[in-house]
């Protein structure tokens, strides 16, 4: 049986933009020449795209780091480099994308073909044609390409099913699924036979069908991780109707009514909205000797607990083993599915789609421009998203580029902050791996 990978942690590094070119015109009949270096091409984006043919995140288990393609460097004659080809990573329907560090939900991918911009490629560096001015008509300065975004994401897959089978281990859920659908789950006479959600398509008459998922057996404390716990409670979130399967034979010595209360308590503890879904109580194993009396007692306790006039769930008697009562169960379930809307995990306005029809990350340049800390008596370290980005986009092979970078630091207030912290002439200042002397 194939392993169902429920979550996957991936690292994405979008493509770096191509470097801008430094070039000059040297034609024989153009005596004054001029700058002729073109811009670099943009780095490749990394998208997640929904593929309805997938039902697992298994591919990401063995391939966790994905790197985007770099843009082409700028060329002479003012020619721009080609933009890099984007990368599209296929994910199943029902994949939720979270920031691995903060836990923030970034996207909820449900529909086939839906895309999410997971990491944006860097823009191409500007060639020296872009820096020509009246005072400096022949600049020897160009930018390196902008680094692509880097993100660590957590992918979570929730089974997309209309109906979820819930109940204690070994109450007959897998057997029921096997006789009402095309699913062939592994079935054994011991607890936790089902280690992964099994999915099957159920056909009820002409043109009526629904998808049902056999959820692994729950036990008390599942919402806190006991048993198979939260790993599979999350799969129930997407279902529209719950079939609560109960072993009325009580062959294991358990009380069917207490089992019913315990499972509902676990659903409520995990997420209050789970109990908003309509339930059908499936009284299974009615072919066993004690089941009839146990069902009578179950109904009495149900009325005593909630009241005779309460809106109690429908109870349908079946035997998954002998297939008695299945037609009535399927018709009732199909009717509930038909009249029950989808339960959304998140509000629609939580994700604002851009004009380009994909979700995106906020621009990281908006964060703190730089940071300063003292490493030792005479060494200072500069950091920060914007500062490091400017550093990576500076071509230190050309003096004009170095001077331009120095002016950018000064305009950001770096010099002033170093003086305020006590930096003196000759102190070492380091940015990433680049070191220079501070001059007051």
């Amino acid at each position: 049986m194939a392993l169902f990978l429920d979550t996957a942690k991936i690292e994405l590094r979008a493509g770096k933009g191509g470097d801008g070119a430094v070039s000059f015109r040297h034609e024989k009949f153009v005596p004054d020449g001029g700058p002729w270096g073109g811009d670099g091409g943009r780095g490749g984006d990394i998208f997640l795209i929904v593929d309805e043919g997938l039902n697992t995140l298994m591919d990401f288990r063995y391939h966790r780091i994905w790197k985007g393609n770099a843009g082409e460097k700028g060329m002479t004659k003012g020619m721009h480099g080609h933009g890099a080809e984007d990368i599209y990573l296929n994910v199943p329907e029902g994949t939720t994308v979270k920031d691995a560090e903060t836990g923030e939900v970034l996207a909820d991918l449900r529909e086939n073909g839906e895309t999410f911009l997971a990491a944006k490629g860097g823009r191409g560096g500007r060639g020296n044609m872009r820096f020509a001015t009246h005072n400096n008509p022949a600049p020897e300065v160009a930018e390196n390409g902008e680094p692509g975004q880097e993100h660590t994401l957590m992918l979570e897959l929730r089974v997309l099913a209309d109906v979820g089978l819930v109940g204690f281990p070994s109450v007959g859920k897998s057997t029921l699924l096997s006789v009402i659908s095309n699913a062939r789950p592994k079935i054994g006479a011991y607890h936790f036979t089902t280690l992964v959600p099994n999915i099957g398509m159920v056909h009820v008459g002409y043109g009526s069908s629904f998808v049902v998922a056999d959820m692994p057996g729950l036990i008390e404390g599942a919402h806190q991780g006991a048993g198979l716990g939260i790993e599979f409670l999350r799969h129930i979130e997407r279902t529209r109707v719950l079939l609560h399967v109960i072993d009325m034979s009580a062959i294991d010595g358990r009380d069917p009514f207490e089992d019913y209360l315990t499972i509902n308590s676990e659903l409520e503890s995990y997420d209050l909205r789970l109990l908003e879904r309509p339930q059908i109580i499936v009284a299974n194993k009615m072919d066993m000797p004690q089941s009839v009396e146990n069902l009578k007692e179950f109904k009495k306790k149900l009325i005593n607990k909630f009241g005779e006039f309460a809106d109690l769930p429908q109870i349908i008697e079946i035997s998954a083993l002998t297939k008695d009562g299945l037609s009535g169960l399927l018709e009732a379930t199909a009717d509930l599915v038909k009249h029950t809307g989808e339960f959304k995990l998140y509000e629609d306005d939580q994700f604002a789609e851009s004009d380009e029809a994909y979700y995106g990350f906020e621009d990281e340049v908006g964060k703190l421009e730089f940071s300063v800390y003292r490493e030792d008596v005479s060494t200072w370290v500069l950091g920060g998203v914007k500062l490091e980005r400017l550093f990576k986009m500076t071509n230190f092979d050309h003096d004009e580029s170095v001077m331009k970078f120095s002016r950018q630091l000064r305009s950001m207030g770096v010099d002033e902050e170093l003086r305020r912290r006590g930096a003196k002439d000759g102190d070492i200042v380091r940015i990433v791996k680049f070191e220079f002397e501070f001059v007051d």
Side-chain angles (χ1 to χ4, degrees), residues 16 19 122-126 131 141-148 363-371 382-398 400-414 431-434 436:
K16 172 184 175 295
D19 297 341
R123 68 173 176 84
R126 292 174 292 178
F131 296 98
V141 57
E143 288 178 330
N144 289 338
E146 180 184 33
D363 187 358
E364 294 176 346
V365 177
K367 299 179 183 178
L368 181 65
E369 289 192 337
F370 69 91
S371 61
L382 301 178
V385 173
K386 182 175 181 179
L387 187 145
E388 291 182 9
R389 180 171 295 178
L390 289 174
F391 170 77
K392 292 176 181 177
M393 294 181 68
T394 298
N395 186 337
F396 289 94
D397 293 335
H398 300 280
E400 283 192 40
S401 296
V402 176
M403 293 171 62
K404 175 173 174 285
F405 180 64
S406 178
R407 291 193 299 270
Q408 289 172 324
L409 294 187
R410 192 174 300 114
S411 66
M412 290 172 63
V414 173
I431 304 173
V432 190
K433 296 181 179 180
F434 181 76
F436 59 92

Side-chain angles (χ1 to χ4, degrees), residues 17 27 29 55 66 71 78 91 129 135 165 167 176 218 241 247 264 294 296 310 324 339 360 384 394 400:
E27 291 95 334
F29 301 105
N55 57 15
W66 298 82
V91 297
M129 287 182 66
N135 294 328
L165 302 180
L176 175 60
L218 303 178
V241 173
D247 177 4
N264 275 349
N294 290 339
K296 289 179 182 179
D324 291 334
H339 294 96
T394 298
E400 283 192 40

Side-chain angles (χ1 to χ4, degrees), residues 13-20 40-45 67-73 82-84 120-125 143-150 392-394:
R13 302 170 189 170
K16 172 184 175 295
D19 297 341
R42 69 168 185 83
D45 300 332
K67 298 179 181 179
N69 301 306
E72 190 178 35
K73 294 181 179 180
H82 290 294
K120 187 172 181 59
R123 68 173 176 84
E143 288 178 330
N144 289 338
E146 180 184 33
Q149 289 182 331
E150 297 186 8
K392 292 176 181 177
M393 294 181 68
T394 298

Side-chain angles (χ1 to χ4, degrees), residues 6-273:
D6 174 63
T7 61
K9 186 176 182 180
I10 59 174
E11 296 179 25
L12 304 181
R13 302 170 189 170
K16 172 184 175 295
D19 297 341
V22 174
S23 178
F24 297 93
R25 303 185 67 169
H26 297 293
E27 291 95 334
K28 181 177 181 180
F29 301 105
V30 185
D32 293 333
W36 222 9
D39 299 346
R42 69 168 185 83
D45 300 332
I46 301 179
F47 290 88
L48 301 181
I49 183 169
V50 177
D51 181 351
E52 63 182 355
L54 296 177
N55 57 15
T56 174
L57 295 170
M58 178 65 75
D59 289 346
F60 297 102
R61 187 180 186 191
Y62 303 105
H63 193 168
R64 296 182 182 273
I65 300 175
W66 298 82
K67 298 179 181 179
N69 301 306
E72 190 178 35
K73 294 181 179 180
M75 294 171 281
T76 187
K77 298 183 180 179
M79 292 189 293
H80 297 340
H82 290 294
E85 186 175 346
D86 297 330
I87 291 178
Y88 287 82
L89 306 180
N90 295 327
V91 297
E93 292 175 325
T95 299
T96 300
V97 185
K98 295 182 179 181
D99 185 296
E101 295 180 1
T102 66
E104 177 189 1
V105 176
L106 303 172
D108 184 25
L109 304 177
R110 309 179 188 183
E111 303 294 333
N112 183 46
E114 187 175 2
T115 57
F116 166 64
L117 177 59
K120 187 172 181 59
R123 68 173 176 84
R126 292 174 292 178
N128 67 333
M129 287 182 66
R130 296 293 196 98
F131 296 98
T133 65
H134 179 72
N135 294 328
N136 186 9
E140 292 188 11
V141 57
E143 288 178 330
N144 289 338
E146 180 184 33
Q149 289 182 331
E150 297 186 8
H151 295 292
T152 302
L153 304 179
M154 180 62 72
L155 307 181
E156 292 184 352
L157 175 63
R158 291 167 171 84
V159 173
L160 290 176
D162 302 303
V163 178
L165 302 180
V166 299
F168 265 81
S170 299
V171 295
K173 299 188 303 300
S174 295
T175 301
L176 175 60
L177 180 68
S178 70
V179 297
I180 65 174
S181 74
N182 57 357
R184 293 295 176 264
K186 180 181 177 181
I187 300 171
Y190 49 91
H191 292 338
F192 297 119
T193 299
T194 305
L195 297 180
V196 300
N198 293 296
I199 305 175
M201 176 67 73
V202 179
H203 298 279
V204 185
Y206 179 76
S208 179
S209 62
F210 55 85
V211 178
V212 61
D214 163 26
M215 302 299 172
L218 303 178
I219 63 173
E220 189 171 2
H223 73 280
Q224 297 174 327
L228 298 177
I230 292 174
E231 290 302 313
F232 298 108
L233 267 169
R234 65 163 55 95
H235 294 294
I236 305 172
E237 288 182 335
R238 285 191 184 274
T239 57
R240 288 190 278 170
V241 173
L242 298 180
L243 298 186
H244 195 147
V245 184
I246 299 174
D247 177 4
M248 282 298 165
S249 70
I251 195 169
D252 288 339
R254 296 200 308 264
D255 182 341
F257 186 70
E258 290 300 321
D259 284 358
Y260 170 75
L261 294 180
T262 299
I263 293 298
N264 275 349
S265 175
E266 290 305 316
L267 297 179
E268 183 178 25
S269 297
Y270 178 69
D271 184 347
L272 290 172
R273 293 202 65 202

